[in-house]
Amino acid sequence: MKKYLFVLVFGLMVCVTVAHAQLLLKTHVETGDVAGVADGSDLAVYKAIPYAAPPVGDLRWKAPQPAKAWEGVRVCDTFGPVPPQPTRPGRMADVMNEDCLYLGIATPAKSASDRLPVMVWIHGGGFQTEWYGGDLWTSLARRGVVIVSIEYRTGALGFMAHPELSKESPDGHSGNYGLLDQIYALQWVQRNIGNFGGDASKVTIFGESAGAISCSMLCASPMAKGLFRGCISHSGGSFAPWTDQSRGLGMDASQKGAEQQGLAFQKHLKKKNIKQMRKMSAMELCDGNVGFAGFWPCVDGYVICDDQYRLYERGEYNDVPVIVMTNSDEGALFTPGNIKAENYQAQMKGMFGTWADEALKVYPGNTDDEAWHGNADFFRDMAFAWPSYAWLKLQSKTGKSAAYAAYLDQPSTVSFSQDKRRRGVAHADDVMYLGNTFLGQPDKYPHEAAVAEILQQYWINFAKTGNPNGKGLPYWPSFDESKPTTMQFSNGATLIMRPNRQQIDFVDRYMKAKREETESARRAK
């Protein structure tokens, strides 16, 4: 019996060793040798590869610089630090560090010659929070793609513009350091991903919220040309007009406007200049108790060249296939539970001015409950659904590559929004369909798991071919707003007409007027 057990255990050890030996657990990047760790018997995971030098000291508020080489083998078994950001339970300052420019890789490749499609994840968090180590999307990786998740600088460290910084920059620009990090990481992927079994000519970028907005910006930035061949957006686009004032909802800022915000921040901190601000600790600049937030990418004429709406109208963008998805109740996550009808109406009048009466017809709020839903729908459309619609509409008119519209409306008791008035899929709920939240519990969540399976199959097909369609899936045509071409994920996948048309058409008219107003003001200068 003992002999039998020994043979059995030894045999199992041999099987596991052979399986792990088939994984690509050691490879080389431009700065040295790296070793990953096994995730099961079918994935090799590298959790923290530096793609740029630590942006600390004199490199704070500068474009990313090359990472330094190392001797020996760098074991990448632990994720890198969380970028400095507001602390909260479960994510305190001890896990944060300004030295944050790392990326993670999950690869099912058995050799460097496999040449698998690559999906590069850009995390969300309003350009202020979150972290690349949140998920390496192993469920997607196990379907035959290499997953890369990248970190970028956030908050004041990633997006503060300032006249002094613009002056010291060789190109005269400041503010979009986080976007420059993303571009630098994508360039790293082009040079190195082949050593992980990936195909640099088959890179798809994908992201959620600020990550999706980043993807949209990368699709329009000449600096990102040729770094990817496809894009998937979860709740985000960048098509608002811009002014020389600080950014607000539905209005972006130029570099000049963002510089004014940087000066206001300096004054808030009681510092005389950038030199003094560089001596401050990262957490003094980024934690919630600093009492100053809202840093965001700006139109600098360098990374972001102009109003993206106009760029797309002129066909001046990186014309690649896209999937653009929004959720049915995005704004539920951002609507206060105690919102009052009178406060909501005053807010809408303050924001929309002469457009307020029409806005309150489209987003009514005559009772507290109606105001809650009105605010949720208004936030959904202004922040996410309208930019997504503009993206699809413009690319379908001026682009050669297909644009696919998606709408997630799966009923579920599971949501990041805990408000019982939620009627659909709240903002960020979609990330649960990308991973194993539902697929790992199909008995408990059969409908959600079925939708997650369909969605992931579409995403993988898109990463492999540039087209989401494939065997066993409902046919998904490219976007045409005159036809039912939006794929609705709700207890399956079915084509519908463009959802929430009346509301989004109102926002479209309003944004057109604001764009013309800002452009007229610039011409008058």
Side-chain angles (χ1 to χ4, degrees):
M1 183 66 177
K2 289 182 178 179
K3 182 177 180 182
Y4 170 76
L5 286 173
F6 172 79
V7 171
L8 179 62
V9 172
F10 180 76
L12 288 171
M13 289 175 63
V14 169
C15 289
V16 171
T17 301
V18 169
H20 284 183
Q22 291 175 343
L23 297 177
L24 198 57
L25 290 170
K26 288 186 179 180
T27 190
H28 182 79
V29 298
E30 60 194 14
T31 42
D33 294 328
V34 289
V37 292
D39 186 321
S41 62
D42 54 354
L43 284 183
V45 170
Y46 296 78
K47 295 185 177 181
I49 302 176
Y51 69 83
V56 301
D58 289 342
L59 293 185
R60 178 184 285 177
W61 295 313
K62 287 187 178 177
Q65 300 298 310
K68 291 184 179 180
W70 56 82
E71 298 290 333
V73 178
R74 187 183 186 108
V75 180
C76 302
D77 59 350
T78 304
F79 284 111
V82 174
Q85 58 190 261
T87 53
R88 56 193 184 278
R91 191 157 292 179
M92 304 306 288
D94 60 339
V95 301
M96 300 178 188
N97 198 300
E98 195 171 1
D99 175 8
C100 63
L101 299 186
Y102 297 85
L103 53 81
I105 297 175
T107 177
K110 301 301 186 290
S111 74
S113 61
D114 282 5
R115 295 181 63 81
L116 301 174
V118 181
M119 298 182 72
V120 179
W121 172 252
I122 304 175
H123 70 76
F127 295 107
Q128 312 294 319
T129 64
E130 301 312 324
W131 176 52
Y132 86 104
D135 207 313
L136 280 179
W137 309 116
T138 54
S139 179
L140 293 174
R142 288 189 164 93
R143 296 174 189 266
V145 300
V146 178
I147 296 290
V148 183
S149 181
I150 63 176
E151 191 51 82
Y152 57 97
R153 285 171 280 182
T154 58
L157 295 173
F159 297 99
M160 187 190 78
H162 192 284
E164 284 186 55
L165 294 175
S166 300
K167 187 176 180 180
E168 72 179 30
S169 164
D171 349 21
H173 303 291
S174 66
N176 287 331
Y177 306 105
L179 289 178
L180 290 172
D181 293 340
Q182 295 170 15
I183 292 167
Y184 207 73
L186 287 169
Q187 292 169 336
W188 186 98
V189 168
Q190 287 294 309
R191 297 191 302 269
N192 293 277
I193 204 62
N195 293 334
F196 297 85
D199 187 340
S201 70
K202 296 180 179 179
V203 173
T204 297
I205 57 174
F206 71 129
E208 183 269 340
S209 194
I213 295 170
S214 295
C215 286
S216 174
M217 292 171 172
L218 293 172
C219 281
S221 177
M223 297 186 69
K225 185 177 181 179
L227 297 180
F228 51 90
R229 71 159 192 180
C231 172
I232 302 174
S233 165
H234 286 241
S235 305
S238 180
F239 290 88
W242 59 271
T243 71
D244 286 334
Q245 306 301 317
S246 295
R247 176 188 173 273
L249 183 63
M251 191 68 64
D252 288 336
S254 66
Q255 180 175 298
K256 183 179 179 180
E259 286 175 349
Q260 297 309 305
Q261 186 183 27
L263 286 170
F265 186 45
Q266 175 190 316
K267 183 178 180 180
H268 175 79
L269 296 173
K270 297 181 173 59
K271 300 299 177 184
K272 294 181 179 180
N273 49 40
I274 285 294
K275 183 178 180 180
Q276 289 187 354
M277 293 173 73
R278 278 202 173 106
K279 291 181 180 179
M280 296 176 68
S281 74
M283 295 309 294
E284 287 179 300
L285 294 164
C286 292
D287 203 355
N289 59 16
V290 175
F292 196 105
F295 294 101
W296 197 270
C298 64
V299 179
D300 60 356
Y302 179 59
V303 181
I304 303 174
C305 293
D306 195 1
D307 177 339
Q308 195 160 312
Y309 196 99
R310 295 303 191 202
L311 292 175
Y312 267 66
E313 281 187 325
R314 299 194 297 264
E316 298 174 10
Y317 57 94
N318 301 315
D319 190 351
V320 299
V322 298
I323 294 175
V324 182
M325 184 170 79
T326 54
N327 303 340
S328 57
D329 205 4
E330 301 256 19
L333 190 65
F334 303 97
T335 299
N338 61 350
I339 192 169
K340 298 297 182 184
E342 58 269 27
N343 295 335
Y344 168 71
Q345 292 173 23
Q347 168 195 305
M348 295 293 275
K349 289 175 182 177
M351 172 167 288
F352 285 103
T354 57
W355 290 75
D357 288 345
E358 187 176 358
L360 285 167
K361 288 179 182 178
V362 177
Y363 302 104
N366 297 308
T367 66
D368 292 350
D369 188 64
E370 192 176 53
W372 190 91
H373 289 293
N375 189 87
D377 288 351
F378 151 72
F379 201 98
R380 174 197 65 204
D381 296 341
M382 286 290 288
F384 308 110
W386 176 80
S388 298
Y389 163 65
W391 189 350
L392 291 160
K393 177 183 69 172
L394 291 167
Q395 181 155 330
S396 68
K397 288 181 179 179
T398 65
K400 296 179 181 178
S401 301
Y404 300 93
Y407 185 66
L408 184 59
D409 191 28
Q410 174 59 42
S412 180
T413 58
V414 183
S415 175
F416 288 105
S417 168
Q418 298 305 306
D419 199 299
K420 294 181 180 179
R421 288 167 288 189
R422 175 180 60 88
R423 295 183 295 201
V425 180
H427 187 67
D429 288 355
D430 47 298
V431 298
M432 293 186 281
Y433 294 84
L434 275 182
N436 290 306
T437 302
F438 299 127
L439 284 177
Q441 306 175 81
D443 293 337
K444 188 175 182 180
Y445 303 109
H447 302 288
E448 294 94 330
V451 165
E453 176 65 28
I454 295 169
L455 185 145
Q456 290 191 28
Q457 286 184 37
Y458 275 129
W459 270 218
I460 291 296
N461 289 344
F462 183 81
K464 290 180 177 179
T465 68
N467 186 318
N469 290 293
K471 187 177 180 180
L473 294 170
Y475 179 70
W476 188 352
S478 58
F479 180 70
D480 181 339
E481 63 179 310
S482 68
K483 299 176 182 178
T485 54
T486 296
M487 187 61 76
Q488 176 176 258
F489 295 100
S490 180
N491 294 322
T494 54
L495 291 172
I496 62 170
M497 294 296 291
R498 177 165 61 91
N500 309 311
R501 292 178 72 118
Q502 180 187 9
Q503 293 166 315
I504 293 175
D505 284 349
F506 161 73
V507 177
D508 197 47
R509 293 193 304 276
Y510 171 76
M511 296 302 285
K512 181 175 185 288
K514 297 302 290 184
R515 176 166 288 102
E516 292 171 349
E517 179 184 313
T518 58
E519 290 175 344
S520 177
R522 285 199 293 275
R523 286 193 298 269
K525 287 185 178 180

